Amino acid sequence: MGVVNVTPDSFSDGGRFFSVQAAVDQGLRLLSEGADMLDIGGESTRPGAAPLSAQAEMDRVLPVIEALRQSTPCPISIDTQKAEVARAAVQMGATIWNDVSALRGSKEAAQIAAELGVPVVLMHMQGEPGTMQHAPHYEDVVAEVCAFLSERAGAAMDAGVARGAISLDPGIGFGKSLAHNLTLLAHLDQIMALGFPVLLGVSRKRFVQALDPSASDPTDRLGGSLAAALMGVKMGVDVIRVHDVRETVQAVRVWQAIQAARG
Ligand code: HH2
């Protein structure tokens, strides 16, 4: 899954793809580099990010989705916490709802997901983007993330979302310390054991800088992002959400070829 942030302030690439044309070009480039799907977001969820109105978010993402839809049949995911944005995006041609709030953005979110009938990604986050990194705390991070994801999958199914339409995501970097992130990455098998496809977002995230203090610029975190992505592939995750598609596809291809040569 290639990331297209139509935002002025994303932690990883804020402002680079803020115009419709730049975002569309970036999406098409990521597809040509080997992405199987695109994730379009209009609101940054970086730690400390300010919330955005639904209208402003739609003004950013809808023209991009519309233009991409005219250029490619690939799956397009809308990265939003707002049901009204998801609805408008699906009407415009998006085919997946990626919700970092796991359908907790409003009372009706789960029901609207069911009505839209598109696959949904339910991600774990402790707290809110504005404050989530202040003091993340867990007694047992893996057990708590698993319990949360299973509860949210249950809530989605209760509202009518088909079981086969649900994917889960541990939410690396969302209300988690370095130790929490590493523990989750080391135990992805327990999230997979919940019985749903798993999506993993490690690309350019701050935990890489925590291990390599020289990587304060997110674009300097490619090595760490690839290492974590390959760990995810090894554990069997289904989708990896990345900014650097070409490099990730190459890394996965080499890793898989070596695996195949083991016979
Ligand atoms: N990470 C980000 C945004 N959306 N969605 C899922 N399912 N999983 C993730 O790990 C995830 C996500 C943050 O990355 P980015 O989009 O580059 O930054 P920003 O939120 O600042 O736009």
Side-chain angles (χ1 to χ4, degrees), residues 174-261:
F174 285 85
K176 293 166 186 95
S177 68
L178 172 64
H180 298 141
N181 288 320
L182 296 177
T183 304
L184 279 168
L185 288 169
H187 295 89
L188 286 174
D189 50 332
Q190 293 190 36
I191 292 162
M192 303 192 50
L194 296 173
F196 296 89
V198 172
L199 182 150
L200 186 65
V202 286
S203 185
R204 300 186 180 176
K205 288 202 171 161
R206 207 176 284 186
F207 75 94
V208 175
Q209 186 196 354
L211 293 166
D212 172 8
S214 74
S216 54
D217 183 334
T219 58
D220 286 336
R221 300 175 191 165
L222 179 58
S225 303
L226 292 174
L230 287 184
M231 180 58 94
V233 172
K234 180 171 157 58
M235 307 279 250
V237 304
D238 299 86
V239 178
I240 305 185
R241 181 184 182 278
V242 301
H243 303 85
D244 301 290
V245 169
R246 183 170 183 274
E247 293 80 357
T248 308
V249 167
Q250 187 182 77
V252 171
R253 213 173 270 169
V254 168
W255 188 83
Q256 285 176 336
I258 296 169
Q259 285 294 113

Side-chain angles (χ1 to χ4, degrees), residues 38-57:
L38 297 176
D39 191 36
I40 315 296
E43 179 181 44
S44 173
T45 52
R46 75 181 197 288
L52 191 71
S53 74
Q55 189 57 53
E57 199 177 328

Side-chain angles (χ1 to χ4, degrees), residues 3 5 7 9-13 39 43-46 79 98-100 121 123 169 171-172 174 199-203 205 241 243:
V3 179
N5 286 319
T7 60
D9 58 345
S10 285
F11 81 93
S12 54
D13 54 11
D39 191 36
E43 179 181 44
S44 173
T45 52
R46 75 181 197 288
D79 183 354
N98 172 23
D99 186 358
V100 300
V121 179
M123 195 197 79
D169 180 340
I172 297 302
F174 285 85
L199 182 150
L200 186 65
V202 286
S203 185
K205 288 202 171 161
R241 181 184 182 278
H243 303 85

Side-chain angles (χ1 to χ4, degrees), residues 44-151:
S44 173
T45 52
R46 75 181 197 288
L52 191 71
S53 74
Q55 189 57 53
E57 199 177 328
M58 288 191 276
D59 291 345
R60 291 179 182 180
V61 293
L62 295 183
V64 175
I65 294 170
E66 184 178 29
L68 281 170
R69 190 70 301 160
Q70 283 161 11
S71 321
T72 164
C74 84
I76 295 177
S77 152
I78 171 70
D79 183 354
T80 186
Q81 304 180 59
K82 301 186 188 79
E84 62 262 57
V85 176
R87 191 197 294 278
V90 168
Q91 279 162 359
M92 198 56 90
T95 50
I96 300 167
W97 180 3
N98 172 23
D99 186 358
V100 300
S101 73
L103 303 178
R104 294 177 300 154
S106 61
K107 273 202 321 292
E108 312 76 31
Q111 201 187 327
I112 291 171
E115 279 165 27
L116 293 177
V118 295
V120 290
V121 179
L122 306 177
M123 195 197 79
H124 175 272
M125 165 164 53
Q126 186 181 81
E128 306 283 323
T131 52
M132 66 189 177
Q133 288 308 115
H134 288 181
H137 175 79
Y138 302 83
E139 295 298 327
D140 178 337
V141 67
V142 178
E144 287 169 53
V145 168
C146 285
F148 171 91
L149 291 174
S150 50
E151 186 275 322

